[in-house]
Amino acid sequence: MNKLFISNWKMNLTLAEGISFSNEISRTINKSIINGNIEIVICPPFISIPNCFQVLKSVAKIGAQDVSSMHDAKGAYTGEISAKMISDYADYVIIGHSERRINLKETNHDVSLKGINVIKNNMIPILCIGETETQRDSGEYISVLLNQLRESSKGFEKNMIVAYEPIWAIGSGNSCKTAQIIEISKQVKSSYGDETPFIYGGSVNEDNCKEILDQKEIDGVLVGSASLSLDSFSKMISLIDSE
Ligand code: PGA
């Protein structure tokens, strides 16, 4: 499987800024001679997806940052965006990000409904799991993570990318150590099969992305803030490029 480089813009960039950044990303990727082993996925806010798709379609895939759990296609659900609507543009959908679990009180059950809607529309769910610092320090993190994964992936266990995103590592500048990521990958792959893609997110940047991507147990990275700066995005791509 290709290694994945997934850029999560979160709630950043207006439509105009997103289009302009997409043009720069496209130029950067075009300049690099990325060997065929990397798939780049850009996840803009919903409002920018159609335009960014047009700019990026020859160099990258599109991912959505969320999707409705209510119905996979349509209905009276004010403010929701369905998997069917997204599927005109996106190949991937991030679900269960800790920022949504914490701020919007999303449950494992909600996440599982979202994943089912995603696969019904022929996209791939990127299912995020992660432990708090307290859970890691107490030593219970592996059971916390496996429980979260089991409950959130009901109905699409054979058809997902697992994104390990420790809550303490996201946006903190304090990335998980490579050996710690590998420990979780082994746990996930031994429960769900070696073929289940396992990626890592949480303060990935130009200093650590190559080392993480070089590990055979890690199938990709999910990058937030470092992927929003053209300078660090370009540096990460050129490191991948020099594989
Ligand atoms: P970060 O975010 O790279 O800014 O830590 C990663 C994520 O939340 O997906």
Side-chain angles (χ1 to χ4, degrees):
M1 183 209 160
N2 287 349
K3 295 254 171 171
L4 288 158
F5 181 94
I6 303 175
S7 162
N8 177 9
W9 291 4
K10 307 190 180 182
M11 195 175 74
N12 291 293
L13 307 182
T14 62
L15 174 58
E17 289 164 348
I19 293 171
S20 149
F21 191 47
S22 296
N23 275 305
E24 288 169 333
I25 289 175
S26 168
R27 276 193 289 277
T28 300
I29 299 174
N30 268 325
K31 266 195 286 168
S32 46
I33 320 147
I34 295 177
N35 59 39
N37 304 328
I38 290 275
E39 174 136 299
I40 297 177
V41 182
I42 308 292
C43 305
F46 283 130
I47 194 167
S48 302
I49 284 180
N51 294 69
C52 293
F53 168 76
Q54 290 304 332
V55 176
L56 291 166
K57 64 184 174 195
S58 61
V59 293
K61 298 275 199 254
I62 292 288
Q65 297 176 22
D66 183 39
V67 68
S68 179
S69 62
M70 307 304 294
H71 193 281
D72 80 288
K74 61 181 182 172
Y77 303 108
T78 302
E80 291 290 276
I81 306 240
S82 77
K84 182 169 194 292
M85 294 167 178
I86 298 168
S87 68
D88 285 340
Y89 311 100
D91 288 289
Y92 299 93
V93 182
I94 298 171
I95 55 171
H97 194 287
S98 59
E99 286 157 6
R100 300 194 62 84
R101 291 180 187 264
I102 295 167
N103 298 321
L104 296 152
K105 309 280 176 276
E106 278 188 8
T107 63
N108 288 330
H109 179 61
D110 298 329
V111 178
S112 136
L113 295 175
K114 289 177 185 217
I116 292 167
N117 290 344
V118 170
I119 59 163
K120 269 193 196 159
N121 286 277
N122 301 316
M123 297 176 289
I124 303 174
I126 300 167
L127 169 55
C128 301
I129 55 168
E131 82 283 9
T132 62
E133 192 158 29
T134 315
Q135 288 164 336
R136 174 155 284 267
D137 291 346
S138 72
E140 60 177 342
Y141 58 97
I142 292 188
S143 64
V144 166
L145 291 166
L146 290 179
N147 183 55
Q148 225 179 74
L149 183 52
R150 188 172 51 249
E151 297 298 316
S152 313
S153 68
K154 280 190 180 147
F156 59 97
E157 302 85 345
K158 294 271 163 241
N159 205 341
M160 62 179 171
I161 294 168
V162 177
Y164 172 47
E165 296 219 313
I167 295 168
W168 49 271
I170 296 175
S172 66
N174 179 21
S175 171
C176 202
K177 296 203 171 49
T178 309
Q180 295 173 312
I181 308 172
I182 291 173
E183 180 191 28
I184 309 301
S185 171
K186 287 187 171 156
Q187 291 285 340
V188 168
K189 286 182 187 269
S190 78
S191 306
Y192 290 85
D194 259 349
E195 64 292 350
T196 301
F198 174 93
I199 67 174
Y200 169 77
S203 297
V204 174
N205 56 37
E206 69 241 41
D207 297 329
N208 57 23
C209 93
K210 184 165 162 51
E211 182 184 324
I212 296 170
L213 278 172
D214 275 350
Q215 310 304 316
K216 66 177 188 325
E217 295 87 353
I218 305 172
D219 301 299
V221 286
L222 179 47
V223 193
S225 51
S227 69
L228 279 168
S229 128
L230 186 64
D231 183 49
S232 56
F233 181 88
S234 308
K235 283 188 182 139
M236 288 187 281
I237 295 299
S238 64
L239 286 168
I240 296 167
D241 196 16
S242 65
E243 288 281 290

